[in-house]
Amino acid sequence: QLRLVESGGGSVQAGGSLMLSCAAPRYSESANCIGWFRQVPGSEREGVAAIYSWGGGGTAYDDTVQGRFTISVNDAKDTVFLQMNSLKPEDTAMYYCAAGFSASGASTCLRRNLVRYWGQGTQVTVAS
């Protein structure tokens, strides 16, 4: 059973930055997709950024964060980061670390139905 634990959320002014971390020990034994989803009340959880570890690997980003957010994994491959720059009020949400399995490449890692493991979430609030 893969246990994911997020940290690093908080409040920031628009234009600011935050880095989220997800402790994911030996995640590659249980999943080949790992990344971040977010959810606001009344809406579905949506994929934000993901890393795919099969084949040549790769990353995928939702269009709303492309160019502002960067996902990465440390050398030990047990922690996943989400660097969030140029934050906007519409980035306000609960952010969840997630891991799953896909045979179809990085972009499919943003699909909620492929997630097998969820973290407990960390709140990000961006003030205007």
Side-chain angles (χ1 to χ4, degrees):
Q1 184 75 12
L2 176 60
R3 183 167 178 258
L4 306 172
V5 180
E6 304 96 333
S7 60
S11 298
V12 65
Q13 293 291 318
S17 298
L18 282 174
M19 175 177 276
L20 305 183
S21 300
C22 172
R26 302 181 303 280
Y27 78 85
S28 61
E29 297 175 4
S30 304
N32 65 356
C33 290
I34 190 160
W36 296 89
F37 284 66
R38 66 186 180 187
Q39 186 173 25
V40 297
S43 298
E44 292 186 345
R45 205 168 289 188
E46 59 181 14
V48 174
I51 289 178
Y52 185 68
S53 60
W54 277 17
T59 57
Y61 296 92
D62 184 77
D63 288 345
T64 60
V65 306
Q66 182 75 49
R68 300 187 297 122
F69 290 12
T70 303
I71 189 170
S72 61
V73 176
N74 66 345
D75 290 343
K77 298 191 184 303
D78 62 5
T79 306
V80 182
F81 303 98
L82 185 67
Q83 176 65 46
M84 305 185 295
N85 297 329
S86 302
L87 282 161
K88 304 175 181 180
E90 51 264 43
D91 294 317
T92 295
M94 184 72 78
Y95 283 71
Y96 296 90
C97 186
F101 180 81
S102 172
S104 304
S107 62
T108 60
C109 295
L110 297 180
R111 296 178 183 172
R112 190 175 68 249
N113 64 326
L114 297 183
V115 174
R116 295 183 180 179
Y117 306 97
W118 293 101
Q120 82 285 355
T122 185
Q123 178 68 35
V124 172
T125 301
V126 184
S128 58

